[in-house]
Amino acid sequence: MRTHCAALCIVLVIMFSTLSSCYIIQLPACTPALCHTKCLEYANKRGVAVKNFYCATANACACSLGPKKRLPLTTKVNALADAEDDNGSFV
């Protein structure tokens, strides 16, 4: 089983060049919705983003994880922050 999981991770790395890591979660009766939820939980605990997920087998979920993309603050965002009135609400 470990060889199978390792092979799945290698395929994911080849398919997604920006992939940071791969994680296999053992789930009884894997469904796409449950797989997505478990991958999000795992990624949130580690401060990374879910790039892809799928049920690798009937009892295993494969999660592709990568770094979170942070958008820089732009002048529009800064202008919105400056547009508050004295009551703290936006004008």
Side-chain angles (χ1 to χ4, degrees):
M1 180 69 178
R2 289 182 188 217
T3 306
H4 181 60
C5 291
L8 288 172
C9 286
I10 291 169
V11 169
L12 287 173
V13 169
I14 292 169
M15 288 174 55
F16 302 98
S17 61
T18 60
L19 185 66
S20 175
S21 66
C22 176
Y23 185 71
I24 303 293
I25 301 171
Q26 298 299 321
L27 290 175
C30 184
T31 64
L34 183 59
C35 183
H36 184 231
T37 301
K38 291 297 182 180
C39 287
L40 284 175
E41 287 174 2
Y42 182 81
N44 286 336
K45 287 180 186 175
R46 282 147 186 83
V48 295
V50 175
K51 300 294 182 186
N52 191 19
F53 65 92
Y54 65 95
C55 290
T57 65
N59 295 319
C61 170
C63 306
S64 303
L65 307 172
K68 285 187 177 180
K69 292 183 180 177
R70 307 262 187 231
L71 297 176
L73 291 178
T74 64
T75 54
K76 286 185 180 180
V77 173
N78 291 335
L80 284 175
D82 292 337
E84 292 182 31
D85 64 9
D86 293 335
N87 295 330
S89 58
F90 291 105
V91 265

